[in-house]
Amino acid sequence: MTASVLQNQIKHNEDKLRSLQLGGHVGFDTLPDQLVTRSVDAGFVFNILCIGETGIGKSTLMDSLFNTTFESNPVPHSLPGVKLKSHTYELHEGTVKLKLTLVDTIGYGDQVNKDDSFKAIVDYIDAQFEVYLQEELKIKRNIATYHDTRIHACLYFICPTGHGLKSIDLVCMKKLDSKVNIIPIIAKADTISKPELEKFKAKIMNELVSNGVRIYRFPTDDETVADVNSSMNNLVPFAVCGSTDFVRVGNKMMRARQYPWGTVQVENEAHCDFNKLREMLVRTNMEDLRETTHIKHYEVYRRHRMEQMGFSDVDSDNKPVSFQQTYEQKRQMIQQEMAQREEEMRQQFVQRVKEKEAELKESEKELNSRYERLKKDHAEEKRRYEEAKRQLEEEQAEFLRRKRQCQSSSSSSLPGHHTLTLKGKKK
Ligand SMILES: Nc1nc2c(ncn2[C@@H]2O[C@H](COP(=O)(O)OP(=O)(O)OP(=O)(O)O)[C@@H](O)[C@H]2O)c(=O)[nH]1
Ligand SMILES: [Mg+2]
């Protein structure tokens, strides 16, 4: 069935849709409850990526956000490149299970040349999308039980310099803004004064806008959270601080940082925006962050990869094509390519055989002519020896003849001294 026929059929069915009144209670109004029960049983997955320079307070903020102690070791400043490290934890709050993955950058901003600092991060995010895509493309896929490692929220830790963003911040955020939900935060905000902080925030936002960096905006389309989200959007980047130390405030132990001149309470809204960040990230918009990751960022990645594989929803004339048609087209293309390559290889083989044959013939000719030459030389040599032999035999016969002549003349002459001179060479 072609795509256009299918679309027509769906439209036809929609046109036929009629709204009916029920005669009594049926029970499908419990669907939302069924959904909640099912989701609670399955548990939730949330993945946070923390990008920030070494020692900027990433681990401390995560401990403060989830009010626990995650494993972390301070990282040296001497690493040659940026790496990413992930840890997965299972957290329980009431009946709700949360599988939380925290991914940390290691060695970020420590290199002399920071041009490529973003690469490892981009690669990590893409790798998580790729794993998900491969699972989706499997014949026997397990999406329901699959551990989704795609990054849902990226907390970008900005140094509290009061001056604005560094180029590494802008470059990195620009590279990531189409791949992940970026939430910029000003780290160690207790080190910056209140008037300075307002100016700093405005400057950061201006720089982000003028460089076209798209950060995550809390959604304002759901009216239950529209007001709070739009007011929180105005507070971005949140100025946060974290701590692993506690002080007693009233009858409660609170996370705080103590200084000779006073105490900074992490959860005190007059001291920093930590509470607002937690409210937005964990309590109000966790589901939106997960959804945006799936329907916006993953969709971009998936589309790009499918196009890379040669799939498309429309053909060159902008007419809809189905997956099946593209697949058939692709298969034919590959088969043609294979046949062409086979033919090329066959021709190459024939050519090589011909060349080899010619080479062999040439060397056979060479051998034959050498054999003939040797045969001729041998015959010549033989003839020379025969000649020499014949001469020798003649001389031998001559010698014997003379010897006999000599003997006969010496026996017939008187005794005395005679000298006999032989002609010719002695052999
Ligand atoms: N002033 C101030 N200091 C902080 C804050 N958060 C953390 N620190 C301190 O900064 C230091 C580094 O904190 P970490 O949380 O280990 O920083 P990190 O970014 O995880 O460091 P690496 O993992 O080593 O890169 C510690 O001494 C913390 O006490 C903060 O909000 N304000
Ligand atoms: Mg750390």
Side-chain angles (χ1 to χ4, degrees), residues 128-383:
Q128 311 319 307
F129 282 147
E130 185 62 32
V131 181
Y132 189 86
L133 178 69
Q134 291 305 326
E135 184 62 37
E136 251 190 2
L137 293 177
K138 275 185 190 167
I139 305 260
K140 256 175 101 180
R141 52 192 186 161
N142 274 321
I143 296 287
T145 53
Y146 172 80
H147 178 207
D148 186 3
T149 53
R150 294 172 298 173
I151 300 296
H152 300 121
C154 163
L155 294 180
Y156 195 95
F157 288 65
I158 299 166
C159 277
T161 56
H163 284 279
L165 292 168
K166 299 180 186 178
S167 55
I168 184 177
D169 301 332
L170 281 169
V171 171
C172 186
M173 282 197 257
K174 185 84 198 127
K175 292 280 175 195
L176 298 182
D177 69 354
S178 59
K179 293 179 181 293
V180 72
N181 298 316
I182 302 176
I183 303 175
I185 54 176
I186 300 169
K188 299 190 180 180
D190 51 320
T191 59
I192 195 162
S193 72
K194 212 164 181 144
E196 268 180 344
L197 190 64
E198 291 313 309
K199 281 192 215 143
F200 191 37
K201 277 192 178 188
K203 194 150 187 223
I204 290 169
M205 288 316 285
N206 272 340
E207 283 181 355
L208 288 177
V209 170
S210 58
N211 285 284
V213 178
R214 284 162 298 159
I215 57 167
Y216 173 73
R217 309 300 289 171
F218 301 115
T220 49
D221 43 5
D222 175 358
E223 57 192 35
T224 52
V225 289
D227 285 348
V228 61
N229 275 357
S230 62
S231 69
M232 289 296 161
N233 276 331
N234 297 330
L235 286 176
V236 173
F238 295 119
V240 295
C241 48
S243 177
T244 46
D245 298 335
F246 290 82
V247 294
R248 183 172 288 282
V249 179
N251 56 357
K252 246 179 118 184
M253 293 303 281
M254 303 282 272
R255 282 183 190 264
R257 304 190 69 83
Q258 279 182 299
Y259 296 105
W261 52 89
T263 302
V264 178
Q265 291 168 19
V266 172
E267 292 181 50
N268 187 331
E269 293 202 3
H271 294 187
C272 74
D273 297 335
F274 173 84
N275 260 1
K276 288 164 189 147
L277 173 69
R278 178 147 75 185
E279 182 73 35
M280 288 293 97
L281 183 70
V282 183
R283 297 179 185 165
T284 314
N285 296 305
M286 194 184 260
E287 191 47 33
D288 185 72
L289 285 158
R290 283 157 32 95
E291 203 178 281
T292 314
T293 303
H294 185 65
I295 60 177
K296 190 174 157 196
H297 302 303
Y298 172 65
E299 210 52 33
V300 172
Y301 180 84
R302 185 180 167 279
R303 192 173 65 218
H304 172 70
R305 286 284 288 124
M306 297 299 271
E307 280 168 0
Q308 246 183 11
M309 290 181 210
F311 292 104
S312 168
D313 293 336
V314 285
D315 62 10
S316 50
D317 303 328
N318 227 17
K319 289 210 182 94
V321 276
S322 69
F323 191 85
Q324 173 78 18
Q325 282 168 313
T326 317
Y327 170 76
E328 286 298 338
Q329 239 175 25
K330 197 91 194 141
R331 210 168 72 128
Q332 268 174 20
M333 230 169 72
I334 291 171
Q335 272 173 350
Q336 270 170 12
E337 255 174 46
M338 290 287 290
Q340 199 178 333
R341 272 203 56 73
E342 207 178 303
E343 179 58 26
E344 273 171 21
M345 277 172 75
R346 204 183 58 77
Q347 278 177 7
Q348 272 177 12
F349 179 73
V350 169
Q351 180 67 20
R352 284 213 24 95
V353 167
K354 274 186 187 158
E355 279 171 13
K356 209 75 205 161
E357 248 174 35
E359 259 175 46
L360 280 172
K361 269 191 184 143
E362 188 63 28
S363 47
E364 193 186 341
K365 228 164 95 184
E366 179 110 337
L367 270 175
N368 276 342
S369 67
R370 248 180 83 190
Y371 172 71
E372 287 301 323
R373 222 175 31 245
L374 280 173
K375 215 166 95 179
K376 229 166 100 185
D377 289 355
H378 175 73
E380 178 66 15
E381 194 99 316
K382 197 173 160 195
R383 196 191 54 73

